[in-house]
Amino acid sequence: MGRHGSPDRLPRRTGHLAVPELLGCFAAGKRCPTPRVPVAEMEAEVAAHYATLRVPPALAATLRKSLDSMLEMKEQFNDDIRAQLTAERKRLETKQDHLLELVGDPDWPQERLNEKMRDLRDRLAGIAERLEQIGVGDFEKAREAVELVLELLDDPRRFLRTVPES
């Protein structure tokens, strides 16, 4: 007989293994004072424990609402930045057009004009790059991931079936 009255079982609480205590023991790096358990039995007990995991519907709704709100704010922010960058690009293009009119004028220092043109081209390229990057984010992917987790926790047994064995 083991310490808990059974030679081949872990301590049970309300019909299930004390999985949280067992996981805590392993996480702390301690040697757990429990007898060996057949793998099939342990897997069944872990599955039974996972079946008890739930995200309260109110919390799930709050998470979804927060994510939607965050995505909406992010989109508004992107729109504002896009408008600012577009206005700055237009201003720089106008400035570039004025400089181009002066390029052929021999009274203006050509080296200085060329320098200003290079600076404008660099700044315009930077704005174009930033405009391309706007909206490229992982917020939507994060939202999808959280939604998947919430769906899986609606049916924890399905979660166990979707996790590949390694």
Side-chain angles (χ1 to χ4, degrees):
M1 284 268 177
R3 185 175 133 207
H4 299 285
S6 173
D8 60 345
R9 295 202 179 263
L10 291 174
R12 291 182 173 269
R13 284 198 191 149
T14 64
H16 294 291
L17 289 174
V19 175
E21 289 83 359
L22 179 64
L23 294 177
C25 183
F26 286 129
K30 299 176 186 173
R31 185 173 187 287
C32 295
T34 57
R36 293 179 186 244
V37 176
V39 171
E41 185 178 339
M42 177 59 82
E43 287 176 346
E45 292 296 333
V46 169
H49 175 71
Y50 267 64
T52 66
L53 300 176
R54 294 278 189 262
V55 173
L59 176 60
T62 300
L63 287 171
R64 286 181 177 107
K65 185 176 178 180
S66 294
L67 282 169
D68 289 342
S69 174
M70 185 175 40
L71 285 170
E72 197 173 295
M73 286 172 35
K74 175 68 172 159
E75 192 57 41
Q76 180 61 48
F77 176 77
N78 284 346
D79 290 345
D80 292 346
I81 293 293
R82 195 175 291 114
Q84 289 174 7
L85 288 173
T86 300
E88 178 66 5
R89 180 178 61 190
K90 178 116 175 96
R91 188 185 72 76
L92 291 175
E93 286 171 346
T94 301
K95 192 173 183 179
Q96 188 178 39
D97 289 342
H98 291 147
L99 285 175
L100 283 173
E101 291 173 7
L102 298 174
V103 167
D105 190 339
D107 294 336
W108 288 91
Q110 296 301 307
E111 185 55 39
R112 183 165 162 107
L113 287 173
N114 288 338
E115 210 176 285
K116 287 198 172 280
M117 288 297 284
R118 279 191 297 273
D119 180 54
L120 283 173
R121 275 195 302 265
D122 291 346
R123 290 170 63 186
L124 284 168
I127 288 173
E129 184 178 324
R130 287 176 63 195
L131 281 169
E132 286 178 21
Q133 292 175 348
I134 289 178
V136 178
D138 293 330
F139 283 108
E140 189 59 39
K141 289 180 184 177
R143 183 184 182 289
E144 290 171 9
V146 169
E147 186 63 39
L148 177 64
V149 168
L150 292 173
E151 286 177 23
L152 289 173
L153 287 175
D154 282 342
D155 181 7
R157 290 183 192 269
R158 187 173 122 221
F159 174 72
L160 275 181
R161 289 190 302 266
T162 61
V163 176
E165 289 190 28
S166 37

